[in-house]
Amino acid sequence: MVKKGFFNNSSPCRVALYIRVSGEEQKMKGLSLEAQQERLEAYARQQGWVIVGIYIDAAKTARKNMHKRSEFQRMLQAVKRDEVDLLLFCRLDRWFRSVADYYKVMEILEAHNCGWKTIDEEYDTSTANGRLYINVKLSIAQNEADICGERIDVVFDSKIAHGTVVSGSAPFGYRVNNEKRLEIVPEDASIVQDAFNYFERTVSKRATVRYIRETYGVNWCEATFRRMLKEKLYTGVYDRGGRYNEHFCPVIITQAQFDRVQQLLERNVRTTPAGRAYIFTSILTCDECSHKLVGYVSRGFYYYRCSQHFQRGRCCHNHSVREDYVEKWLFEHLQEELDRCKLEWKVQAAERQRKLGSNEKAALKNKLTKLKELYVNDLIDIEEYKKDYEIYNAALRQIPDPVQETSPDFSAVERLLQSDFKSIYDTLTREEKRTLWRSVIKEIRVDNENNITGISFG
């Protein structure tokens, strides 16, 4: 569609060529990138027009949102700068397969006095019938794209259900074999396992990337490693785009370790709006009122104080504790605190086991004693004694034996203590230090004299 009056005789028409191809189907129909460009250039030369831009979206489907077609967006920017008089393309479906998108773009073209034309089809927007014809063509093209998409979805569903890949790419540690399935590359898989283990110990993506680079010569960036840590395929599970197969490929990382890593990633919160990261935020707790201590900076040092005292006057905790003091204390006492927590849990578990069912058992044993006294004093006969004796003994047998409790999971802090975490700690950023402590410690209680009165591991 070329509007009358766009160009005058002294100024040649400025045209932008738009070319798009989405895959093998277009190539088979003679609509490859090269074929489209050659035909469009030849047509523009025949008309005596000046080509001011060639915009090519390769491997882009018209079903996608038009904002995802980068060259198409760049062409629209040229239109908005009034650098183009006419958009030229082979067919209408090279441009759009959506009626709604068509009218959105038409508003931009009309606002900047820019027209459009196809070289394989004729359209007329000056009449009602012409505009209706365009709507019908676009609707048909959109319907064809939707049907094609549904067919592709059925094929992909079948591939995923049978453990077949839908592309030639594979996460590090896997490769695509001749049967179009993922198989493990043993050398690479061992690197992935080591990376997950190292990240669990350090809770630092940057430190892990550096370790892998120095140890194996594999140069990942942090963004790549972050995606790897969240890659469910390492557990053998495919879970993308609404498709799921829990036995899609061989396992490199166990589900238990993968879940632990996801918890560590979730704890890696952002810095505060002021741009400062307080290492012990949400961990340090006032021993007097049980509220969290709040961080602040004074003369270059990081401190924590009880806001219930300083802002509300509801607590007697009127001292601030310095951050480096807490760090020093943890390095010196973390092992003994872990040992204390383990022993404390064992003592409490034993006490709970001892008390479990003891009251009920004691009551039944007391009844047996009284039953015996009644029989000895001839207050009941032997038949009554035997009958009640069986009833009370049966009740005793029904009281379950104590069940062995599962010990809390101290594995995270144990792994930390087994490694040379002090030297690693010194290389971490403040955000990474905060994540490290949050991965092993749930709470650190501090009293008004700045004594650390206890630690809870989480």
Side-chain angles (χ1 to χ4, degrees):
M1 181 275 293
V2 182
K3 289 187 177 179
K4 294 180 179 179
F6 268 126
F7 331 111
N8 54 49
N9 295 330
S10 62
S11 178
C13 175
R14 300 170 299 172
V15 298
L17 312 184
Y18 181 66
I19 304 163
R20 181 189 65 80
V21 64
S22 62
E24 295 299 325
E25 182 182 5
Q26 283 77 13
K27 293 179 182 179
M28 290 170 61
K29 294 179 179 179
L31 292 172
S32 67
L33 298 176
E34 297 79 6
Q36 290 183 63
Q37 183 171 345
E38 289 175 3
R39 296 176 60 227
L40 289 171
E41 289 177 343
Y43 187 92
R45 285 195 299 268
Q46 289 174 2
Q47 303 299 321
W49 294 338
V50 176
I51 299 173
V52 294
I54 300 175
Y55 302 91
I56 302 174
D57 275 322
K60 299 289 186 180
T61 172
R63 296 173 61 239
K64 297 293 186 183
N65 189 307
M66 64 179 180
H67 296 292
K68 295 184 178 180
R69 287 190 267 163
S70 58
E71 286 296 286
F72 184 85
Q73 293 301 317
R74 199 164 68 86
M75 181 176 67
L76 285 185
Q77 292 302 317
V79 171
K80 292 178 181 179
R81 293 192 299 268
D82 296 319
E83 298 172 356
V84 181
D85 299 316
L86 180 71
L87 304 182
L88 188 65
F89 38 93
C90 291
R91 292 186 350 196
L92 191 60
D93 63 3
R94 296 303 90 205
W95 188 12
F96 287 125
R97 290 195 178 186
S98 166
V99 177
D101 286 347
Y102 168 77
Y103 281 106
K104 288 178 184 177
V105 173
M106 282 304 298
E107 291 182 4
I108 298 174
L109 299 186
E110 290 175 356
H112 295 273
N113 205 32
C114 181
W116 60 267
K117 180 174 177 57
T118 65
I119 63 174
D120 293 340
E121 300 164 329
E122 288 294 333
Y123 296 100
D124 181 8
T125 60
S126 63
T127 66
N129 285 337
R131 291 190 292 272
L132 176 61
Y133 179 64
I134 291 175
N135 286 341
V136 170
K137 287 285 290 185
L138 286 172
S139 297
I140 293 173
Q142 182 173 338
N143 183 61
E144 289 176 349
D146 291 341
I147 292 174
C148 181
E150 290 173 358
R151 291 171 179 167
I152 292 172
D153 286 342
V154 170
V155 172
F156 281 7
D157 289 344
S158 177
K159 284 179 174 289
I160 298 305
H162 291 87
T164 308
V165 299
V166 295
S167 71
S169 62
F172 187 90
Y174 293 105
R175 64 186 166 213
V176 180
N177 62 20
N178 294 332
E179 298 177 352
K180 302 299 182 183
R181 297 175 183 272
L182 291 182
E183 66 180 16
I184 290 177
V185 181
E187 319 85 64
D188 294 347
S190 64
I191 296 175
V192 173
Q193 291 167 345
D194 198 12
F196 269 72
N197 293 335
Y198 195 87
F199 177 76
E200 269 202 277
R201 293 196 300 271
T202 63
V203 201
S204 170
K205 293 185 285 291
R206 186 174 64 177
T208 304
V209 168
R210 183 172 60 247
Y211 165 75
I212 293 298
R213 182 172 60 250
E214 295 173 352
T215 306
Y216 301 101
V218 178
N219 194 9
W220 296 331
C221 67
E222 285 190 47
T224 297
F225 183 56
R226 187 186 308 112
R227 288 193 296 271
M228 292 174 64
L229 291 174
K230 296 181 179 181
E231 179 57 78
K232 290 186 178 181
L233 284 175
Y234 287 132
T235 67
V237 176
Y238 187 101
D239 187 9
R240 298 175 183 173
R243 300 181 180 93
Y244 185 84
N245 183 348
E246 63 180 342
H247 302 297
F248 182 78
C249 61
V251 174
I252 292 179
I253 301 298
T254 66
Q255 187 64 53
Q257 183 177 27
F258 185 82
D259 291 340
R260 292 197 302 269
V261 167
Q262 304 318 299
Q263 292 177 0
L264 294 178
L265 291 172
E266 289 174 4
R267 295 177 182 178
N268 190 7
V269 296
R270 297 180 181 273
T271 59
T272 59
R276 296 192 179 100
Y278 295 95
I279 294 175
F280 297 109
T281 293
S282 79
I283 298 178
L284 287 177
T285 304
C286 175
D287 198 43
E288 272 70 37
C289 69
S290 298
H291 281 83
K292 299 298 181 184
L293 300 187
V294 178
Y296 69 97
V297 176
S298 177
R299 298 179 181 178
F301 291 100
Y302 285 78
Y303 292 86
Y304 299 84
R305 64 187 180 187
C306 180
S307 61
Q308 292 298 305
H309 170 80
F310 286 95
Q311 295 182 13
R312 301 176 181 269
R314 297 177 180 175
C315 180
C316 62
H317 193 151
N318 59 356
H319 288 95
S320 298
V321 60
R322 245 171 66 170
E323 188 176 83
D324 55 351
Y325 165 78
V326 179
E327 288 180 304
K328 183 174 182 295
W329 190 94
L330 286 172
F331 287 128
E332 294 175 352
H333 300 280
L334 193 60
Q335 181 65 62
E336 63 186 67
E337 281 297 308
L338 176 62
D339 295 339
R340 178 191 61 78
C341 284
K342 285 183 175 179
L343 179 61
E344 188 177 89
W345 181 85
K346 288 180 180 178
V347 171
Q348 292 175 351
E351 182 64 17
R352 288 191 294 270
Q353 294 278 43
R354 186 184 66 79
K355 290 182 177 180
L356 183 62
S358 61
N359 293 338
E360 192 174 354
K361 284 186 176 182
L364 287 170
K365 288 178 179 179
N366 187 44
K367 288 182 179 180
L368 283 170
T369 300
K370 288 183 178 181
L371 180 65
K372 183 178 180 181
E373 291 175 355
L374 290 174
Y375 174 69
V376 170
N377 292 324
D378 293 326
L379 297 177
I380 58 173
D381 59 25
I382 187 63
E383 294 302 325
E384 290 180 288
Y385 173 77
K386 288 182 178 180
K387 178 182 177 181
D388 290 345
Y389 180 84
E390 287 299 326
I391 290 173
Y392 294 148
N393 268 291
L396 273 174
R397 288 194 296 271
Q398 290 178 2
I399 297 176
D401 292 328
V403 179
Q404 188 67 34
E405 294 185 55
T406 302
S407 171
D409 186 5
F410 296 112
S411 59
V413 66
E414 287 174 337
R415 286 193 300 271
L416 186 67
L417 289 168
Q418 289 170 2
S419 63
D420 185 17
F421 85 101
K422 180 61 172 68
S423 60
I424 296 173
Y425 185 85
D426 292 336
T427 68
L428 304 181
T429 64
R430 294 185 59 80
E431 292 88 347
E432 291 170 334
K433 290 178 181 179
R434 177 174 58 188
T435 303
L436 173 65
W437 291 122
R438 286 186 178 187
S439 70
V440 297
I441 296 176
K442 182 179 179 180
E443 181 183 70
I444 303 173
R445 296 179 294 279
V446 183
D447 66 14
N448 194 34
E449 303 303 321
N450 287 344
N451 297 312
I452 295 179
T453 59
I455 290 180
S456 297
F457 294 98

